[in-house]
Amino acid sequence: GFLFGAYLSCGNVLMATYNGIERGLVVWNLDRRDIKALRPRLEEALLKAFNLKLDVCKTIKSQSKPNRFICYNRPLSKWILANLGKTTSKRFPNEFLVNNRPFLTGIADGIRDFRGNVPDEKRKAGSRTRLLNQNTVQLYQFLTDVLSNTERRI
């Protein structure tokens, strides 16, 4: 769940053909102050969910832009593009909303930890924020409501 929430919050996917070979990559933009805490969690989630080792991922550090965590993997890129969308058309399929509290908590954690502007939450003064699309904001609000009510089921 954490991986999906992180993607919905600050990820993007790119598919391209280069010299006749289809390539794909998934990018997560990380705030410079957050990279030490969040990169290990993202790497662990990639390993658990898709068995992707760290050698297919790298971090690009930049002074003027957020750090980018990139995973070069065509099947993962195709899957994310088909199921979660990209940029402003990101979505979370209803069939993934299962009655599994740790999974749903992971999604909410990923959105919150990697997020831009989630309602009623403030980042430290001066930190850069990303605007979430409306679908992601609604998903986050739904998950926090469901997770705060221990007896409610999906």
Side-chain angles (χ1 to χ4, degrees):
F2 182 77
L3 186 63
F4 298 143
Y7 175 78
L8 291 169
S9 182
C10 72
N12 207 353
V13 65
L14 174 68
M15 296 295 300
T17 302
Y18 181 74
N19 288 339
I21 300 171
E22 186 179 42
R23 299 175 184 216
L25 59 93
V26 183
V27 179
W28 290 267
N29 295 304
L30 306 177
D31 187 280
R32 286 185 292 280
R33 289 175 278 220
D34 295 338
I35 197 163
K36 286 183 182 175
L38 296 178
R39 180 181 172 165
R41 291 179 68 191
L42 190 57
E43 290 174 334
E44 179 185 344
L46 279 167
L47 188 61
K48 272 185 176 178
F50 297 102
N51 199 29
L52 291 177
K53 305 279 186 215
L54 304 181
D55 60 329
V56 299
C57 304
K58 71 177 187 177
T59 302
I60 298 176
K61 294 183 179 180
S62 169
Q63 294 299 331
S64 61
K65 296 179 182 175
N67 290 315
R68 292 184 295 159
F69 183 78
I70 301 175
C71 183
Y72 297 93
N73 187 280
R74 184 174 46 113
L76 175 62
S77 301
K78 285 179 123 176
W79 187 90
I80 285 179
L81 186 59
N83 290 285
L84 303 179
K86 64 183 279 184
T87 319
T88 57
S89 66
K90 290 180 190 172
R91 63 200 175 280
F92 195 78
N94 287 339
E95 61 266 21
F96 291 174
L97 289 174
V98 295
N99 194 19
N100 181 322
R101 191 171 189 81
F103 179 71
L104 297 177
T105 301
I107 296 166
D109 287 350
I111 293 171
R112 184 188 60 245
D113 292 351
F114 282 85
R115 66 144 185 321
N117 298 330
V118 173
D120 301 326
E121 294 191 9
K122 304 264 189 242
R123 303 255 336 210
K124 293 177 184 169
S127 84
R128 189 182 63 76
T129 60
R130 293 174 285 280
L131 292 174
L132 298 175
N133 74 28
Q134 193 60 35
N135 293 338
T136 304
V137 170
Q138 289 172 354
L139 173 65
Y140 181 79
Q141 290 169 337
F142 170 76
L143 289 172
T144 54
D145 179 47
V146 167
L147 294 169
S148 66
N149 185 347
T150 55
E151 296 188 18
R152 183 172 175 178
R153 290 191 171 281
I154 296 176

